[in-house]
Amino acid sequence: MKKKHIVAMTIICTVAAGCGQKTAETPEPKKEVVPAIELSNMDTEINPAEDFFRFVNNEWLKNNPIPEEYSTYGAFTEIDQHNELLIQDIIDEVSQDTTAQQGSVAQKIRDFYNAGMDTVAIDERGYSELMPYFEMIDNLNDKTQLAELLGKLHSEGIGGFFGAGGSPDPKNAEMVIMHLYQGGLSLTDRDDYLVEESQEMRDKYVEHVAKMFELTGTEPEAAADKAKRILALETKLATNSMTRVERRDPDKTYNMRTLVELQKTTPNFDWNTYFKNAGAPMIESLNVGMPDFMAAMDKIILNTDLNTLKDYLRWKVIHGSASMLSSDLDAENFSFYGNYLYGQEVQQPRWRRILDATSGCLGEAIGQLYVEKHFPAEAKERMLNLVGNLRIALGERIKNLDWMSEETKAKALVKLDAFNVKIGYPDKWKDYSKYEVTPDSYFENVHRAIRFENEREMAKIGKPVDKEEWFMTPQTVNAYYSPEMNEIVFPAAILQPPFFNMDADDAVNYGGIGVVIGHEMTHGFDDQGCKYDEKGNLNNWWTEEDAAKFAERTQQLVKLFDEFNVRGYQINGQLTLGENIADLGGLNVAWDAYQMTDEAKANQSIDGYTPAQRFFISYGTIWRNNSRDKYIERQVKTDVHSPAEARVNRTLGSMPHFYEAFDIPEGTNMYIAPEERATIW
Ligand SMILES: [Zn+2]
């Protein structure tokens, strides 16, 4: 379980779905020169016009079956694995340093990791560390005390009913304000509670909840009864929750209210008490992401008996802590969430999970050591150059759009010009001096980290946005665009092959990291990003006519993805729209930027492939991925990113230069008739 604090209302558009899972294999850190294109991964027996994804990756797919401790395995996971070895080295070095001063970063990393690995002590404690929380819940005598209790639990990272946190005001992106958002569910999506086809999942969930209660001291019969009532309560919350597609509309989730107004719509929940106990500063107004949900929650609390509310909170304590407790609870938690939901056969080895947790709680402390050793200064320079070229290319594309008025174009260019770019690592590192880590309790170390983060987050509310802050650590293999900061961010860890290869030809780098850069830039102009202006404010800068044309074009992309399935799992074109716009835009922008290079002008083939072909092969390579059916099933329901295969085989169908590069004839699988292709940016 990730315990990292996430500013839930900040929309961060990443290039990939989260990949926090690790493998037991311990490949040697790669130091050799990596070929620009690994020809042995391709399968030239496969016609690129029929299945480009497998033409590029089939041998890799065959030679890289999903390790049993993974549910999905691809280029992102490969780098992640490699990175873990580097981080493990850093931690090993730090762990052996017995002279590390008390309070130093080295001492914190060492003690956090070692306490997490001490399964003997953890097993001995069982669930005893939950007792103070159970006591707090037992002491709840009537519902008026719920606000106080919930505030305390939330400040400890224990969920329930809703979430609260600070992030920029979408209409005044210079300032951090308080946001409230729906929450309280324990399955992966509201539909899991509501649709017929998820009945088996709900049955298994009830069994799992009951089992977790049994493991924490409840008699089987009472445990089964609690589990059923918890499902019923969560189902009511789910019924009143916005769907993932609805939540993608930032206008719908922006609802400023004074505290007095909020209180009127939720008369049974005392917000002042809640905020005080959650560690929030005094506030007069806030953004209520889902006002209908809040009003419904108030009534649900009113109409639910006190014992069920207490059981629900007790469940949230157990559920949120499972990975920090004894092996019986940890294993039961994995068997439902890892094995049943995602098809992962065995759990990741403990060292990887603790490494991950250390990287979660002390992310920038490790990040600082990581970049000192593993991030060459030349990489940053090369990236800045690439970003500069991509920016020029996107600017030219905007100027040449045949469907947009000059008026809107001018505003789009202002926004593009204002993009802030962050590469590698933050200029200013997070200060962990107030975070105390001790060698004796893993559970306490994690909880202190949560409290430390909660305090840090709450302290931001009512203050100007810190523009230097990063929302990913340097060792994260990913990238993001933040509409409220109007910035694109590329952590050091993604600047490695197959995304970025210092020894590769430009075609390969533009088809890899170039597309990733273009992807993040395009997020500034996707169906969400386009609603924010150059300052990060939710502020419509489009003429009505252009907005209508944009919507029409994006609906074409929705249709193309709605029609596409991966192994029978239907993609939701609306849910994945922003990412699909970004992929298509990223390809086009990176292509244009590549055309400006000397290498593209020279047009010399390498390994028997033209530069244009190498550009697309590189794009196909970054999405090489094997996933279990269950993973794909969850992904199409919950992830804004389309499955990797679709990101290649569907997106390329709307990319004109792909047709030229591989001579794609009508009637093949990859072919989309010109009038049906999506052309947006
Ligand atoms: Zn994205």
Side-chain angles (χ1 to χ4, degrees):
M1 293 284 104
K2 284 257 162 73
K3 279 280 143 200
K4 210 161 76 182
H5 214 86
I6 298 210
V7 191
M9 288 299 289
T10 303
I11 307 163
I12 288 179
C13 303
T14 60
V15 70
C19 30
Q21 301 176 61
K22 325 292 170 202
T23 179
E25 304 290 310
T26 49
E28 285 298 306
K30 294 174 243 171
K31 287 268 186 261
E32 78 278 15
V33 173
V34 180
I37 289 174
E38 193 87 68
L39 296 171
S40 61
N41 287 335
M42 297 175 65
D43 187 342
T44 49
E45 300 283 303
I46 294 175
N47 181 352
E50 293 295 344
D51 185 346
F52 192 72
F53 178 72
R54 285 188 181 73
F55 164 72
V56 174
N57 297 316
N58 207 36
E59 286 303 313
W60 184 92
L61 297 175
K62 278 196 240 163
N63 295 325
N64 290 275
I66 309 167
E68 56 183 358
E69 66 277 25
Y70 284 88
S71 53
T72 179
Y73 189 83
F76 288 86
T77 359
E78 286 176 286
I79 301 186
D80 220 26
Q81 279 186 321
H82 170 59
N83 252 359
E84 277 165 354
L85 298 178
L86 304 179
I87 295 169
Q88 184 66 50
D89 276 351
I90 291 171
I91 291 181
D92 279 349
E93 207 174 295
V94 166
S95 298
Q96 281 153 18
D97 181 5
T98 47
T99 63
Q101 276 195 344
Q102 190 58 30
S104 66
V105 160
Q107 174 265 318
K108 288 174 190 181
I109 294 173
R110 180 193 70 200
D111 289 351
F112 188 99
Y113 183 79
N114 289 343
M117 290 304 288
D118 188 356
T119 47
V120 174
I122 290 169
D123 275 336
E124 261 171 30
R125 286 194 190 100
Y127 62 92
S128 62
E129 284 167 303
L130 302 186
M131 295 315 278
Y133 299 94
F134 288 167
E135 231 166 84
M136 277 161 67
I137 294 167
D138 286 343
N139 288 338
L140 193 73
N141 293 320
D142 72 78
K143 291 179 195 174
T144 58
Q145 297 165 335
L146 187 66
E148 180 187 340
L149 176 60
L150 213 50
K152 285 181 183 152
L153 292 176
H154 282 182
S155 74
E156 295 270 345
I158 294 162
F161 294 106
F162 64 91
S167 64
D169 177 349
K171 295 226 165 156
N172 176 20
E174 293 290 313
M175 292 298 289
V176 180
I177 58 163
M178 173 65 82
H179 297 257
L180 284 187
Y181 39 89
Q182 68 187 38
L185 307 183
S186 314
L187 290 171
T188 56
D189 190 71
R190 78 187 277 283
D191 284 357
D192 298 341
Y193 294 87
L194 307 176
V195 299
E196 179 65 40
E197 68 196 66
S198 297
Q199 187 57 49
E200 185 202 272
M201 186 198 292
R202 293 191 286 275
D203 293 344
K204 297 257 185 204
Y205 174 61
V206 168
E207 275 170 37
H208 166 65
V209 176
K211 190 81 198 291
M212 294 294 275
F213 269 104
E214 284 178 45
L215 292 172
T216 47
T218 304
E219 291 300 318
E221 209 172 306
D225 174 57
K226 286 177 202 289
K228 276 186 210 140
R229 283 184 286 113
I230 287 164
L231 175 70
L233 173 56
E234 290 187 356
T235 303
K236 285 182 199 154
L237 295 174
T239 309
N240 290 285
S241 295
M242 277 168 91
T243 65
R244 285 178 191 272
V245 169
E246 285 165 340
R247 275 186 280 154
R248 293 196 67 257
D249 183 346
D251 290 315
K252 282 192 185 152
T253 55
Y254 187 68
N255 309 284
M256 285 304 286
R257 302 280 188 271
T258 64
L259 212 48
V260 175
E261 285 167 337
L262 172 66
Q263 197 59 73
K264 269 188 202 151
T265 59
T266 51
N268 302 295
F269 191 86
D270 182 351
W271 288 102
N272 270 319
T273 304
Y274 167 78
F275 284 125
K276 201 172 130 216
N277 285 281
M282 291 292 288
I283 50 167
E284 277 169 19
S285 62
L286 73 171
N287 177 35
V288 183
M290 297 85 188
D292 294 346
F293 174 87
M294 289 300 165
M297 180 198 80
D298 187 72
K299 290 198 182 69
I300 291 167
I301 291 172
L302 186 70
N303 297 325
T304 304
D305 63 281
L306 188 64
N307 276 337
T308 300
L309 295 177
K310 288 161 84 162
D311 287 335
Y312 168 70
L313 293 176
R314 210 175 158 110
W315 159 240
K316 285 296 185 187
V317 170
I318 301 166
H319 173 57
S321 312
S323 65
M324 293 170 256
L325 303 175
S326 48
S327 45
D328 49 349
L329 283 149
D330 183 32
E332 172 58 29
N333 181 56
F334 167 76
S335 90
F336 182 74
Y337 285 98
N339 177 265
Y340 175 70
L341 284 186
Y342 286 93
Q344 194 183 331
E345 286 166 16
V346 301
Q347 207 171 3
Q348 291 288 345
R350 186 160 188 97
W351 73 268
R352 285 183 187 272
R353 289 185 283 135
I354 300 304
L355 190 101
D356 226 28
T358 314
S359 218
C361 293
L362 285 155
E364 289 196 10
I366 289 178
Q368 196 167 357
L369 298 169
Y370 171 83
V371 297
E372 274 168 21
K373 287 194 174 196
H374 305 293
F375 187 59
E378 313 95 88
K380 191 163 181 165
E381 251 166 69
R382 280 278 284 273
M383 269 300 279
L384 280 170
N385 185 30
L386 277 163
V387 171
N389 292 351
L390 268 285
R391 199 198 290 251
I392 293 167
L394 178 52
E396 286 304 310
R397 291 191 69 85
I398 291 170
K399 284 180 207 158
N400 292 327
L401 290 174
D402 59 7
W403 57 272
M404 189 184 268
S405 70
E406 293 304 316
E407 193 185 339
T408 307
K409 279 182 187 177
K411 302 237 170 86
L413 290 168
V414 169
K415 175 162 181 175
L416 175 64
D417 233 31
F419 270 3
N420 185 33
V421 183
K422 291 176 176 168
I423 294 166
Y425 53 90
D427 291 330
K428 186 185 75 184
W429 295 99
K430 197 188 269 185
D431 176 10
Y432 290 97
S433 56
K434 284 192 183 149
Y435 171 38
E436 192 200 347
V437 180
T438 64
D440 47 328
S441 168
Y442 178 53
F443 181 91
E444 281 304 323
N445 284 339
V446 174
H447 273 267
R448 272 192 296 265
I450 295 167
R451 286 195 290 268
F452 166 74
E453 284 299 332
N454 185 63
E455 240 170 74
R456 218 175 65 84
E457 291 296 327
M458 290 299 182
K460 293 183 200 167
I461 293 170
K463 299 196 184 121
V465 171
D466 175 5
K467 305 259 168 148
E468 288 183 86
E469 186 171 7
W470 282 53
F471 297 100
M472 267 180 196
T473 63
Q475 62 272 32
T476 307
V477 188
N478 213 330
Y480 69 86
Y481 169 76
S482 160
E484 286 140 346
M485 313 268 272
N486 194 28
E487 66 177 9
I488 48 177
V489 184
F490 306 94
I494 200 169
L495 307 179
Q496 298 183 55
F499 297 93
F500 178 71
N501 185 343
M502 298 280 273
D503 304 308
D505 45 312
D506 284 339
V508 168
N509 276 323
Y510 277 87
I513 197 72
V515 176
V516 173
I517 297 167
H519 172 106
E520 299 307 340
M521 282 183 171
T522 308
H523 270 313
F525 304 98
D526 72 13
D527 61 318
Q528 290 181 317
C530 75
K531 297 190 170 186
Y532 295 80
D533 67 15
E534 81 279 9
K535 294 197 175 94
N537 291 324
L538 194 53
N539 172 24
N540 185 16
W541 45 272
W542 293 65
T543 66
E544 219 170 287
E545 202 179 320
D546 288 332
K549 283 184 187 161
F550 177 72
E552 196 183 306
R553 278 163 188 273
T554 58
Q555 283 316 298
Q556 184 56 30
L557 196 58
V558 171
K559 183 169 169 277
L560 287 172
F561 276 85
D562 274 343
E563 286 166 358
F564 201 82
N565 74 76
V566 172
R567 302 207 296 266
Y569 297 107
Q570 196 60 48
I571 294 174
N572 179 340
Q574 204 68 51
L575 177 65
T576 55
L577 178 58
E579 294 302 326
N580 298 334
I581 294 173
D583 277 344
L584 182 56
L587 270 166
N588 276 305
V589 178
W591 173 270
D592 285 6
Y594 173 61
Q595 298 314 309
M596 298 175 205
T597 64
D598 292 340
E599 185 199 284
K601 285 166 198 149
N603 197 25
Q604 294 211 327
S605 292
I606 304 176
D607 304 329
Y609 293 104
T610 65
Q613 289 174 332
R614 291 172 70 79
F615 175 92
F616 290 111
I617 292 169
S618 179
Y619 177 70
T621 301
I622 64 172
W623 295 115
R624 66 189 179 204
N625 173 284
N626 277 314
S627 289
R628 297 186 197 282
D629 282 356
K630 283 202 168 177
Y631 180 88
I632 303 270
E633 187 185 353
R634 289 286 90 211
Q635 185 177 19
V636 296
K637 289 195 173 125
T638 61
D639 195 341
V640 292
H641 303 87
S642 300
E645 187 177 328
R647 298 181 77 163
V648 178
N649 281 359
R650 180 87 307 194
T651 308
L652 287 176
S654 288
M655 172 73 195
H657 304 289
F658 173 68
Y659 287 83
E660 293 156 26
F662 284 94
D663 210 6
I664 306 295
E666 208 176 325
T668 54
N669 273 335
M670 295 296 296
Y671 184 87
I672 299 172
E675 65 278 11
E676 286 178 16
R677 291 174 200 164
T679 47
I680 304 168
W681 294 105

